[in-house]
Structure formats: C-alpha cells, structure tokens
Amino acid sequence: VSDADATWVSGAEGSGFGRANLPYGVVAPEGAAPRCAVRIGTHALDLDALQRAGLLELPDGVFAGPALNPFLALGREAWTRTRRRLDALLAPDAPERAAVEPALVPLARAPARLPVAVGDYVDFYASLEHATNLGRRFRPGAPPLLPNWRHLPVGYHGRAGSLVVSGTPVRRPRGQRPPAVPGGPPTFGPTQQLDVELELGFLAGPGSPLGAPIPAAAAAEHVFGVVLVNDWSARDLQRWEYQPLGPFLGKSFATSISAWVVPLAALEPHLVAGPRQDPEPLPYLRAEGRWALDLELQVELDGELMSTTNARGLYWTFPQLLAHATVNGAATRPGDLFATGTISGSAPGTEGSLIERYAGGRFLADGETAVLRGRAGGDARPLVSLGEVAGTIVRSA
Amino acid sequence: VSDADATWVSGAEGSGFGRANLPYGVVAPEGAAPRCAVRIGTHALDLDALQRAGLLELPDGVFAGPALNPFLALGREAWTRTRRRLDALLAPDAPERAAVEPALVPLARAPARLPVAVGDYVDFYASLEHATNLGRRFRPGAPPLLPNWRHLPVGYHGRAGSLVVSGTPVRRPRGQRPPAVPGGPPTFGPTQQLDVELELGFLAGPGSPLGAPIPAAAAAEHVFGVVLVNDWSARDLQRWEYQPLGPFLGKSFATSISAWVVPLAALEPHLVAGPRQDPEPLPYLRAEGRWALDLELQVELDGELMSTTNARGLYWTFPQLLAHATVNGAATRPGDLFATGTISGSAPGTEGSLIERYAGGRFLADGETAVLRGRAGGDARPLVSLGEVAGTIVRSA
C-alpha cells in the first residue's frame, strides 16, 4: 500500500480498487438510466454527475450514455487529463471532496452493465503453450504448432453481439457434435464439452481510419484499457465445424468480459519484457520497450482454484496484436476489442482452459460457476485489480 | 414490363428500379445530412422528407439518421405497411403525386452511403462448386470437401468495420505472404493475388435475443432484404494465415456492398426450389417451401464480362444460414449481415472469383475495376435490379 493508492473513500485503499486503479465502467443506478462511472473501492463514482457538477472538463454528455465509446473516441490526451483530475478529486486531502461525495453510489445499488459497445471483436492465439496444447489435441500425430505460428499472431473475428458482462448466466449451447464414427453423421444436442478460456482483452480508441495501419511503436496510443475475457467454448461443436474457416458456433454463443476497464495507465508500472521471440518477427511486428503485462491470473470453478498463471508469458504482445490486425489497412473503431486468446503456462496448474487442465476428462456442468480473476502489484506497488469475470452455466432450453 | 412496375416517376418503369423494386438506402443530398431513401429509377425518394410531410405513418425520425437500422428494428409488419404505402404513392395515378414530388432527388446530386451500420458480419461457404474449387486449390491431393460440408453451412465472422459502399476505392493490402520454400520465412509486401468474391448478403431485422435460436421456418421473418457483396480476398495472405483459425487479414481489409437494399418482398416472385440436399439436413436446418433465389449474377472486370451465374444453385438457402448461425443461441441485431460466400457454378464462365475462373493465373491489377451485378425477372415479370457493387484497386500506400 502506497500513498498513490490512498483516498478519502473509505475502504478503497489497498483493495485493488484504490486510487492507483480507477477503472471505468457503466452502471445502472436504481431508477436511473445507465451512465459511465469509475470504480473506487466498493463504490461507483457517477462521472456524468461529476461532469454536470462542473468537476470535469470534457465535451458535454460524454459520460451520459450507456457505453464508454464516446470517451474512448477522445484519445490519449483526454484520457490522461481525466485520470489526473479523478486522481486529484479522490486524493485524501482533496478540497472538492464535499462536491464529489454525492456522486458516489454503492455498487450494490448500481449494477454494472457491459462497459462498451464493441464494434469488432478479434481473438488471437497468442500463448505458445495454449497453441501447443490445443494443436496436440485437435491434430494428434501432427506437429502441434502450424508453420505460420511463430511468424504472426494467428487470429480471427468473434461475434461482437454475443459479448456479455460478468455475472450474466451462460446457456449451454446446442449444435452439431462430431460423428461417433469417422465418416458417420454428426449428432445434435447440448454441448458435452463446455469450457472456459482465460484471456485478456484490449479496448481500442480513439480509432484509426481504413488504409492506415497502426505501427507497433504507436499501438499503446490506441489502447485505452484492459478487461478480463472468458471466451466460452464448446469443444465438440468447435472440433466438428472449424475446418477450413475457423471457430464459429463453438464460440459465438457467449463471450463474457469483466465490468471494469482498467486503464493502460494504471498498468504501466506492471509492463515487463516479454519472452524472447525466435525467429525475430518481421519489422512491422517489432516494438521497442516492455510490452508484456505482469498480471497474475486465476481460474476458479465453483469456488475452487483450478489454475494460476501470469500474462507475462504470452508470446505475442499487445502492440504486436494491433500492428498485425491493421497491417492490411483494416480500420479500428473506439470500443473494438482485441483479445489475447487463452493464456496458459507450461506447468500443470497453469492452464487457462479445462480441456488443457484436465486433458479432456472434465468440462463444465450445468449450475457450475466459473470465475476468472486478475491482479497486478500488491507488493511494494499498490494492488491493481482487474476484478473478475464470472458466469454460471444454465442448462439448454 | 407489367403494371406492377409502372409509376409516374419518368424513366423508372422497366429500368430494374421501377415500382416493383423500391430498394432502400441512405443518401447524402448536397448540403444536407445523410438520411434514408428509396430508389426509384434514377432518383432517391427522401423518406425523412416524406415522413415529415405526414405521408408515412412510422415512429418519428426513423428515417432521419444515417443508417436503415431503426427501420430494420421495426419488423415485418412495418416493412410491409411502408412498402404498400410507397407503392401507392408512386403508382401512375397517385393522388399524392404533387406532395411526393418535392422529395425526389436525382441520384447524381445525392450520393449513396453505406445503407446500414452492420453489427456482426457472418460469411458462409454455401456454394458446393466454390467450396470444391477452393478445396482443390488450397488442399491439393486431399478430398476437396471436408467431412462437415454437407452437414452444416460452414461459416465465420468477418470484419464489420471494413464494410464499405459500392464505389469506394480498395487499397491493395500488404501482409505476410507464404514462404517461397516450404519451412522458409514468409515474405512481406503488397498482395500479389487480389481477388473478388461474388456473394449475396442478407440484412437481418428486427433482431432476436441471446438464447433464442431462429427456426429455419421463421428465418424469412428475420430478413429485411438483400445486397450484393464483394468479399475482396488476398489469396496469398489468406493461404499463409488461415490455419487453424480461418481467414483474417486476407479478407478484413475491405468488403464492399451494393448501396440499395432490395426488400425480400420484391424478390418473392423469384423464390424457387434449391438443389436437392444429400444427406438430408438435421431437423433444425429443414425449411418447407422455396428459398433459393433466381437471381442472375455477373462479374465484370474493366468493363469485360468475366462470369455469369445464378444464385439459385447455392447448396444452402438463407433460412438455413440463419437457423445455423443462431442454433447455439447467438443473438441477432437489426443490421446484422449474413453473406453466402462466393457463388460459383460448375461450368467454365460461371465462377464467382478470379482464382477459380483463371486457375490462379490472373488476379486484380492496380487501377483495375471490378463490378458485380445482379438482377431478377425482366421476362413476364418486372425486372428487379440489385444494382451493382463496384470497386477500383488502388496501389499500396
């Protein structure tokens, strides 16, 4: 616990949601329309109320809507200025305390909504350990890593319309499952292999036009913040459908994200060097500096710890993900989501999915709850929490 | 030419944009904000102006914005009522002619914009001939159709943020191209295999909630209309990247759609039986009735005809595409786009892409213009035109 985390809001310091974090989200306070907020301890600070009270200098109504997109569109200078202002307003000796206090709402009375309207959702496959584990399982007898894997961050588009906020129940999807015998017909019914995928997601802003690739060196300017992502997966559906065009219904039934977007600025003290890359990537994928995130991540099933891993082990870093996704001239829009793919380590107990952890012998049951958690610091540096992304499985209709 | 196509708007009857068509779009008249319109002949009929004049009974402002989404959200009853009303207003003897006439703007003074804000863009692989041609080329020596192909419409998500309207120039994308020697490093630069894909796209409305699959029998209630789609493809980028997660940068640089959305109602006389399906699809993919579209389609390169084909040959029909995409509970939103994938026939000159037509020996050059066209009727039935989707290749930056 350090001074940087201290605040007049009681109970917040040291909780992971102290002044060193200040993550953004959207809440729907009782009897009011959804609006943007910052989390401090167990409270939401209503940013629209703050702005109407004249305490923030930003375009009118930027926080009045049900999504952070207008704020994400403003870009780094506005993000930095707003973060500094909120930091000052919440400091222990803030002279504005009396004016700010009425804008605090207990989280229990202001349920969180999906924080952004995601335009496009890209999911990568950035963990070498996960790609190796899955390759062994989906293509037994063949080399687990395909020839392209070490040259580019393999990725695909997910379904933006299936993104839900932490806490939303997840209905077990039905679909076609692989034939019982090779060459036979598929079977149809509820997935028998429902899984989690532990991931980080990067929310883009202010956007970049069609035809203008984002250089790896500039990628951090295009990332507002970070969420936890659970890319729920139906492995049987996925195995049957995924060739040759990739995952579709095996993933598109639901993707959950955490409610509070941790600004990249709050994670700067936790940027570290990533793993050595061999072969050296092409020039457009090179970014000077430290871009891996030293974030401890956990998967919990019905309250029991399944895995603990760390995001710093990811082979591809987020500047590389953005540079690759746009090298062909693809545009980005404020609120686009770029997720890492499952984050797994190499030791037992560090896997980011059940299929890896239990070698295909255990999947999610109806009624079971999966919770992903993430945190940085908590040592000499203040604890910065990514909160959680939780979901309970509901049986097929 | 029949009475159903006749109208007091001069030159429209028999043009493919007569009273039998009435496709919807968005135009930006000189000095005015973009608004919704219906095309009649070479004019746009300003629907927001019509509504403000009290000539349409719909929620306030539904046509005032820069996208058709609010209208798509209203659903079939409102679509039918509005179509009937427009049909009456444009009939040869319409008593309202004098009130309607001021809302007509020549297309030359009202450039068309992207007609919808697409939430999710799904692209299928519904042509047996195309899947066979591509399978032979991408996996030589193996069976061209993978085991799942005849059991489900294979699909994937494309990049919604890269959708552009007909006429938008397409910049040749850069990216990683396959190694010159197996096991060697990829090369980097502008694609050397830029291609078109001739497709149809179905625009969804009024939307369906998460967890509620759309039955095949109800799918037509969830389709507002049809556009032409050119899913531009960089074959070298695609070949290197696509395993195991499917096409990504090889497609995500641009997808062009036609400006005018032809209502499904205008195509009802052109619904025919599709090809016989063997094996019989699973029950959730069965839809009684005729759901193939008897639409003649063409690909033109720099003014020369490359291919002519017909959409009626597609193996999977649009009710099957929607039923499959939602069987796992995925939601749909007004404006979601479901495209068929490349439409190819089996005879030479019926291919929907250059890689099929020219066996990999010819691709698009800088400065070259590709135009896709579509039309139905023109015999005893009135001609209904899907217009065109055009794009000229601009060299890499």
Side-chain angles (χ1 to χ4, degrees):
Chain A
V1 177
S2 94
D3 285 352
D5 205 42
T7 168
W8 55 261
V9 180
S10 126
E13 183 179 354
S15 71
F17 294 100
R19 208 164 105 252
N21 191 349
L22 302 181
Y24 291 80
V26 168
V27 294
E30 286 163 7
R35 77 272 318 277
C36 301
V38 149
R39 178 168 173 179
I40 178 85
T42 57
H43 286 75
L45 180 60
D46 180 338
L47 294 173
D48 187 50
L50 275 199
Q51 193 175 1
R52 281 185 286 103
L55 290 165
L56 298 174
E57 286 183 29
L58 286 168
D60 274 355
V62 74
F63 291 127
L68 291 167
N69 298 55
F71 183 57
L72 268 54
L74 297 179
R76 176 70 60 201
E77 187 278 328
W79 305 339
T80 302
R81 185 157 41 86
T82 305
R83 182 170 172 80
R84 285 199 186 128
R85 178 67 175 153
L86 292 169
D87 183 77
L89 293 175
L90 293 166
D93 52 356
E96 301 90 345
R97 172 174 175 171
V100 171
E101 212 151 7
L104 281 179
V105 191
L107 290 176
R109 294 213 307 270
R113 300 285 187 93
L114 196 65
V116 283
V118 173
D120 278 297
Y121 160 38
V122 169
D123 203 11
F124 286 96
Y125 200 46
S127 158
L128 187 136
E129 292 78 8
H130 172 69
T132 303
N133 290 341
L134 266 275
R136 283 203 184 105
R137 180 154 291 276
F138 275 45
R139 291 177 299 278
L145 284 189
L146 290 167
N148 56 17
W149 200 91
R150 286 177 178 271
H151 293 283
L152 54 80
V154 171
Y156 72 103
H157 286 92
R159 189 164 184 83
S162 293
L163 287 161
V164 294
V165 72
S166 175
T168 307
V170 172
R171 190 170 290 279
R172 179 180 300 275
R174 294 175 187 274
Q176 295 195 22
R177 300 166 308 197
V181 291
T187 61
F188 181 85
T191 176
Q192 295 167 343
Q193 301 188 345
L194 188 50
D195 203 350
V196 307
E197 292 202 330
L198 167 66
E199 309 193 5
L200 289 182
F202 299 91
L203 285 164
S208 55
L210 207 62
I214 296 175
E221 291 306 301
H222 289 269
V223 170
F224 169 72
V226 180
V227 289
L228 292 166
V229 177
N230 186 347
D231 186 36
W232 305 93
S233 298
R235 301 296 181 192
D236 40 5
L237 278 53
Q238 183 185 349
R239 189 180 309 107
W240 173 235
E241 75 180 0
Y242 90 104
Q243 285 187 319
L245 301 187
F248 184 38
L249 297 185
K251 306 269 195 179
S252 66
F253 56 95
T255 304
S256 303
I257 68 172
S258 50
W260 297 98
V261 185
V262 176
L264 194 56
L267 295 172
E268 265 168 24
H270 308 284
L271 289 169
V272 295
R276 185 168 165 269
Q277 297 182 317
D278 179 24
E280 186 182 24
L282 282 162
Y284 81 92
L285 289 171
R286 294 178 203 156
E288 297 292 317
R290 301 171 166 198
W291 295 113
L293 281 160
D294 184 15
L295 281 171
E296 188 182 293
L297 303 169
Q298 292 187 337
V299 182
E300 204 181 274
L301 301 179
D302 271 350
E304 288 198 23
L305 188 66
M306 177 188 105
S307 302
T308 302
T309 189
N310 193 299
R312 67 186 297 167
L314 282 171
Y315 190 86
W316 296 105
T317 64
F318 73 86
Q320 294 179 316
L321 303 183
L322 263 73
H324 184 64
T326 61
V327 69
N328 68 349
T332 66
R333 294 177 289 178
D336 277 356
L337 176 63
F338 296 89
T340 56
T342 309
I343 305 172
S344 293
S346 51
T350 63
E351 302 89 346
S353 67
L354 276 76
I355 197 171
E356 294 170 83
R357 179 73 182 90
Y358 301 113
R362 180 185 165 188
F363 291 97
L364 296 172
D366 290 345
E368 198 163 9
T369 298
V371 181
L372 315 182
R373 301 183 197 281
R375 50 183 273 167
D379 36 31
R381 299 161 300 179
L383 181 65
V384 172
S385 177
L386 268 78
E388 63 175 37
V389 55
T392 299
I393 307 305
V394 176
R395 70 181 173 79
S396 294
Chain B
V1 177
S2 95
D3 286 352
D5 205 42
T7 168
W8 54 261
V9 180
S10 129
E13 183 179 354
S15 71
F17 295 100
R19 208 163 105 252
N21 191 349
L22 303 181
Y24 291 79
V26 168
V27 294
E30 286 163 6
R35 77 272 317 278
C36 301
V38 149
R39 178 168 174 181
I40 179 84
T42 56
H43 285 76
L45 180 60
D46 180 338
L47 294 173
D48 187 49
L50 277 199
Q51 194 175 1
R52 281 185 284 104
L55 291 164
L56 298 173
E57 286 182 29
L58 286 168
D60 274 355
V62 72
F63 291 127
L68 290 167
N69 298 55
F71 183 57
L72 268 54
L74 297 179
R76 177 70 61 200
E77 188 278 327
W79 306 338
T80 302
R81 186 159 39 87
T82 305
R83 182 168 173 80
R84 286 198 186 128
R85 178 66 175 154
L86 292 169
D87 183 76
L89 293 174
L90 294 165
D93 52 358
E96 301 89 345
R97 172 174 175 171
V100 173
E101 212 152 6
L104 283 178
V105 191
L107 291 176
R109 294 213 306 270
R113 300 286 186 93
L114 196 65
V116 283
V118 174
D120 277 298
Y121 160 39
V122 169
D123 202 11
F124 286 95
Y125 199 47
S127 159
L128 186 135
E129 293 77 9
H130 172 68
T132 304
N133 291 340
L134 266 275
R136 284 202 182 105
R137 180 154 291 278
F138 275 45
R139 291 177 298 279
L145 284 189
L146 291 167
N148 56 16
W149 200 91
R150 285 177 178 273
H151 293 282
L152 54 79
V154 171
Y156 71 103
H157 286 93
R159 189 164 184 82
S162 293
L163 286 161
V164 295
V165 72
S166 175
T168 308
V170 172
R171 190 169 292 279
R172 178 180 300 275
R174 294 176 189 272
Q176 293 195 23
R177 301 167 307 198
V181 291
T187 62
F188 181 86
T191 175
Q192 295 166 344
Q193 301 188 344
L194 187 51
D195 202 349
V196 306
E197 293 203 328
L198 167 66
E199 309 194 6
L200 288 182
F202 299 92
L203 284 165
S208 56
L210 207 62
I214 296 175
E221 292 306 303
H222 289 270
V223 170
F224 169 72
V226 181
V227 289
L228 293 165
V229 177
N230 186 348
D231 187 36
W232 305 93
S233 297
R235 301 297 180 191
D236 41 3
L237 276 54
Q238 184 185 350
R239 188 180 310 108
W240 172 236
E241 76 181 359
Y242 89 105
Q243 283 187 325
L245 301 186
F248 184 38
L249 297 186
K251 306 270 196 178
S252 66
F253 56 95
T255 305
S256 302
I257 68 172
S258 51
W260 297 97
V261 185
V262 176
L264 194 56
L267 295 172
E268 265 168 24
H270 308 284
L271 289 170
V272 295
R276 184 167 166 270
Q277 297 182 317
D278 180 25
E280 187 182 24
L282 282 163
Y284 81 93
L285 289 172
R286 293 178 203 158
E288 296 293 316
R290 300 172 165 196
W291 295 114
L293 281 160
D294 183 15
L295 281 171
E296 189 181 294
L297 302 170
Q298 293 186 337
V299 182
E300 205 181 272
L301 300 179
D302 272 351
E304 288 199 22
L305 189 66
M306 176 188 104
S307 302
T308 301
T309 189
N310 192 298
R312 66 185 297 167
L314 281 171
Y315 190 86
W316 296 105
T317 64
F318 73 86
Q320 294 179 317
L321 303 184
L322 263 73
H324 184 63
T326 61
V327 70
N328 67 349
T332 65
R333 294 177 287 177
D336 277 356
L337 176 65
F338 296 90
T340 56
T342 309
I343 305 173
S344 293
S346 51
T350 63
E351 302 89 347
S353 67
L354 277 77
I355 196 172
E356 295 170 83
R357 179 74 182 89
Y358 301 113
R362 180 185 163 186
F363 292 96
L364 296 172
D366 290 346
E368 198 164 10
T369 298
V371 181
L372 315 182
R373 301 184 198 280
R375 49 183 274 164
D379 37 30
R381 299 161 299 180
L383 181 66
V384 172
S385 177
L386 269 78
E388 62 175 39
V389 55
T392 299
I393 307 306
V394 177
R395 69 180 174 79
S396 294

